[in-house]
Amino acid sequence: MNAIEFHGVSFSYRDETILRDTTLAIPQGARIGLVGPSGCGKSTLLKLVAGLYAPDSGTLAVLGETDTERLHRHVAMVLQPPLLFPASIRDNITCGHDMPEERILAACEAAQLSGWLRGLPDGLDTYVGERGNRLSGGQSQRICIARAIARQSPILLMDEATSALDVPTGAAVMGALRSLMKGKTVVSATHDLARLEGFDRILQFREGRLHEIPS
Amino acid sequence: MKSRVESLVRELGRPGRLLLFLLLRSPYEACATILLASFLAGALSGVESGSHKALFASLAWFSIAVPGLYLYNGTVWATHAPFWISRIAALRRRLFRRVLALRATDIDARPTGDWSARLTSDVSLIDSIPLHYLAVHVVGLVVSTGILVRIDGFLALIVILTALPAILAGQVLAKPVRALSGALRTAVSDQVAELVTLVEGGPTARLYDASEWLIHRFCFGNRAIRRVRMRLALLMGLQAVGSLLVGMGGTLVVLSIGALMVLDGRRTLGGLVALLHYRLGVVAGASMVVNCLLSIRIAMAGADRVMEVLDGGKST
Ligand SMILES: Nc1ncnc2c1ncn2[C@@H]1O[C@H](COP(=O)(O)OP(=O)(O)O)[C@@H](O)[C@H]1O
Ligand SMILES: [Mg+2]
């Protein structure tokens, strides 16, 4: 079974077609980079996979599941822009679910948060402020990455997830993911091809269609 | 409270025009009371003395005067409403301009929900400040009391005594009502903040199956608002029931004494009905004045939060 399968999927906003009769299969464990200029539809495609939007026509299966309402159960997604709730870092990572401490800490470690967290007097219980306005953009983004990792879904969708991080930190996050996400499927969208080093396949979005570019 | 209302009036601008409106509007209740009382007295005297002429004269006068009074009041209203609406709009514009001129640190000092509440529901509260109702009922109360004193000093004293509890209750309630109104404004702004979180965080909550958590975690404001509103309603209700009971007792006393006077031939039936009507003018007037003052307190809690932003502009 493929992790993600598009079969003749079309999707458009009111007056803009984003996907045109797209057929695509992403096998389990693959690491897919999705590139294209901003506005080409990368975020839309990821939101379709996560079940936030439903295709206008065609079928979209995520691990065999085709019911839009249930797709999100198989995925963890880092949304763009990163959204934090006005709560503690811990609550932002667990989203109210019971989680063992080690799982939270491992997610923080992979998201390159550990060093910074150790310097905080309240650690994981630090309040992030409204929309995370007490943090830097990179800190907010890394918390959102930690949230996605802690969910331990078989599929991880990242929308410009390292855009606010400097290149070494971004690379460190991706490196940590590589070892942590063995056997899991990762789809990472970015407008910056340089951020996709080490990916199995790179798909480029052009005029509502996806083209594979040799990596 | 007086100085805060004054500064609000100053902030709204064109105080002369506002005063003119209040003056034009204020005689309404007094006129309506006098009109009805003298009509009832005249018509009933006509009936008592068997005079068709007197009865029809009363009816004719009433049927001309009542529409006249309504027409007057309606005209004052119609000419005032646009003025008031434009003042509120001007205040809003000034508020928006002020917010735009704030430094980022000032903006960050308050949650977004707090700003939203100040710019929307708090300004709307100013809209509902019943200044003109207060003017109408104060004049009605003073005129009814004056006429009653002239008709019968002793009965007037009894009536005034029965109106006193409402006024005292108003004094006692003023402080808690003001405090609760302030608490209500804060609870409302907290809730706006939570609703913003709910909407913005919706997709994330859906992705992470966190909707229930989000509702539990962030909808406390709802409960706080409900609690404060209940307490406020309870206080206002107590005040209403209290004045109703005392008022009914007063009616009973005045009616018994007045009816004995009619039986003894010292007062006409029409005279008694008119007297009862002025009594109502005093008792209901007092309770309306108290209600208006309490409502103004409630609305001022919103006005204060608006003025706080506007004043911030003057100090920097
Ligand atoms: N909610 C929406 N309603 C209408 N149009 C949208 C919406 N979201 C995105 N778009 C449009 O769809 C196109 C693709 O957007 P998006 O998927 O965000 O692109 P990308 O992530 O590649 O930058 C853009 O032209 C954008 O204007
Ligand atoms: Mg995007």
Side-chain angles (χ1 to χ4, degrees):
Chain A
M1 186 174 28
N2 281 315
I4 302 167
E5 267 181 34
F6 283 66
H7 196 83
V9 171
S10 298
F11 180 85
S12 39
Y13 292 110
R14 195 179 291 269
D15 45 25
E16 191 172 352
T17 301
I18 306 293
L19 280 181
R20 212 173 271 131
D21 193 20
T22 300
T23 298
L24 169 74
I26 297 175
Q28 289 184 47
R31 309 169 54 76
I32 306 292
L34 192 59
V35 291
S38 83
C40 68
K42 303 181 295 293
S43 301
T44 308
L45 184 130
L46 294 183
K47 284 176 182 168
L48 279 164
V49 175
L52 289 177
Y53 299 154
D56 295 336
S57 60
T59 49
L60 168 54
V62 175
L63 289 170
E65 177 68 73
T66 52
D67 180 353
T68 307
E69 294 298 317
R70 295 163 179 267
L71 295 188
H72 71 271
R73 296 185 184 177
H74 304 294
V75 308
M77 179 169 176
V78 184
L79 285 164
Q80 172 68 17
L83 180 125
L84 292 184
F85 298 109
S88 65
I89 296 176
R90 179 193 305 280
D91 282 351
N92 268 291
I93 291 174
T94 64
C95 283
H97 298 293
D98 278 333
M99 270 182 206
E101 190 80 0
E102 311 84 72
R103 183 161 147 197
I104 302 173
L105 292 175
C108 290
E109 182 64 39
Q112 309 297 304
L113 278 170
S114 302
W116 171 63
L117 278 177
R118 268 194 292 276
L120 293 174
D122 294 329
L124 275 174
D125 296 311
T126 305
Y127 176 64
V128 303
E130 230 191 322
R131 290 191 201 104
N133 62 6
R134 299 193 181 171
L135 310 180
S136 77
Q139 288 158 350
S140 304
Q141 203 165 47
R142 280 179 285 160
I143 293 174
C144 290
I145 295 173
R147 172 195 287 159
I149 294 170
R151 181 146 165 103
Q152 297 187 335
S153 302
I155 297 172
L156 177 65
L157 307 175
M158 301 176 70
D159 193 357
E160 310 275 0
T162 57
S163 60
L165 306 182
D166 51 70
V167 175
T169 311
V173 169
M174 296 315 281
L177 277 180
R178 202 160 302 146
S179 50
L180 198 74
M181 304 289 288
K182 280 229 160 60
K184 297 193 175 175
T185 312
V186 180
V187 182
S188 179
T190 174
H191 60 275
D192 182 7
L193 197 58
R195 300 243 177 196
L196 292 176
E197 213 178 304
F199 276 70
D200 304 336
R201 277 167 76 190
I202 294 179
L203 299 174
Q204 189 173 33
F205 227 115
R206 228 183 301 132
E207 283 144 20
R209 303 203 185 269
L210 287 161
H211 306 267
E212 183 141 5
I213 51 175
S215 48
Chain B
M1 183 166 79
K2 190 166 144 271
S3 68
R4 295 194 356 261
V5 173
E6 269 174 21
S7 54
L8 174 65
V9 167
R10 211 173 322 116
E11 209 56 72
L12 282 170
R14 305 195 50 193
R17 176 76 199 269
L18 181 63
L19 192 68
L20 178 69
F21 166 69
L22 293 180
L23 280 177
L24 288 175
R25 177 110 163 82
S26 58
Y28 174 73
E29 190 66 33
C31 289
T33 305
I34 293 174
L35 201 64
L36 199 58
S38 53
F39 161 68
L40 288 171
L44 286 175
S45 306
V47 171
E48 254 185 331
S49 60
S51 157
H52 283 81
K53 220 179 121 193
L55 176 63
F56 285 130
S58 287
L59 287 173
W61 160 238
F62 187 69
S63 56
I64 294 169
V66 168
L69 184 62
Y70 282 0
L71 198 64
Y72 168 79
N73 194 46
T75 311
V76 173
W77 246 132
T79 50
H80 165 75
F83 162 70
W84 186 252
I85 291 169
S86 74
R87 290 334 295 159
I88 296 287
L91 184 74
R92 259 210 181 101
R93 264 198 308 279
R94 215 154 344 122
L95 190 64
F96 293 165
R97 207 161 280 144
R98 176 71 206 115
V99 169
L100 286 176
L102 285 171
R103 282 174 310 224
T105 45
D106 298 331
I107 299 267
D108 282 348
R110 290 201 178 105
T112 321
D114 186 274
W115 286 111
S116 313
R118 279 172 207 256
L119 295 175
T120 55
S121 65
D122 288 336
V123 182
S124 307
L125 267 188
I126 297 181
D127 212 356
S128 64
I129 285 184
L131 274 185
H132 57 110
Y133 282 114
L134 181 66
V136 164
H137 290 300
V138 165
V139 172
L141 174 64
V142 169
V143 170
S144 288
T145 311
I147 294 177
L148 205 56
V149 168
R150 275 195 51 199
I151 296 178
D152 190 319
F154 173 63
L155 284 181
L157 188 67
I158 295 179
V159 171
I160 292 170
L161 284 178
T162 60
L164 268 183
I167 295 174
L168 287 179
Q171 286 303 309
V172 172
L173 289 185
K175 236 188 159 154
V177 164
R178 161 119 195 79
L180 281 178
S181 310
L184 182 61
R185 300 323 307 154
T186 313
V188 166
S189 81
D190 287 351
Q191 197 191 28
V192 176
E194 281 152 13
L195 292 179
V196 170
T197 303
L198 218 57
V199 173
E200 284 185 339
T204 305
R206 195 168 146 195
L207 282 174
Y208 289 88
D209 288 312
S211 304
E212 281 312 308
W213 170 71
L214 203 59
I215 285 172
H216 260 83
R217 176 79 169 64
F218 292 104
C219 278
F220 294 129
N222 237 332
R223 243 169 289 164
I225 287 180
R226 219 167 37 218
R227 242 190 339 259
V228 177
R229 280 225 171 106
M230 294 277 256
R231 264 186 233 154
L232 209 51
L234 189 68
L235 280 186
M236 300 293 270
L238 277 179
Q239 187 260 341
V241 170
S243 6
L244 193 74
L245 285 179
V246 176
M248 266 161 50
T251 312
L252 215 59
V253 173
V254 174
L255 188 61
S256 331
I257 297 176
L260 285 176
M261 286 173 150
V262 174
L263 285 179
D264 293 349
R266 279 187 290 146
R267 189 172 289 290
T268 64
L269 191 58
L272 174 64
V273 171
L275 190 140
L276 284 173
H277 210 75
Y278 287 119
R279 187 206 73 85
L280 190 67
V282 174
V283 175
S287 131
M288 289 310 285
V289 167
V290 167
N291 269 330
C292 282
L293 286 174
L294 291 179
S295 303
I296 290 178
R297 284 204 144 78
I298 292 174
M300 280 309 289
D304 280 353
R305 288 160 48 88
V306 172
M307 310 269 270
E308 207 172 61
V309 179
L310 289 171
D311 285 350
K314 277 165 203 152
S315 60
T316 48

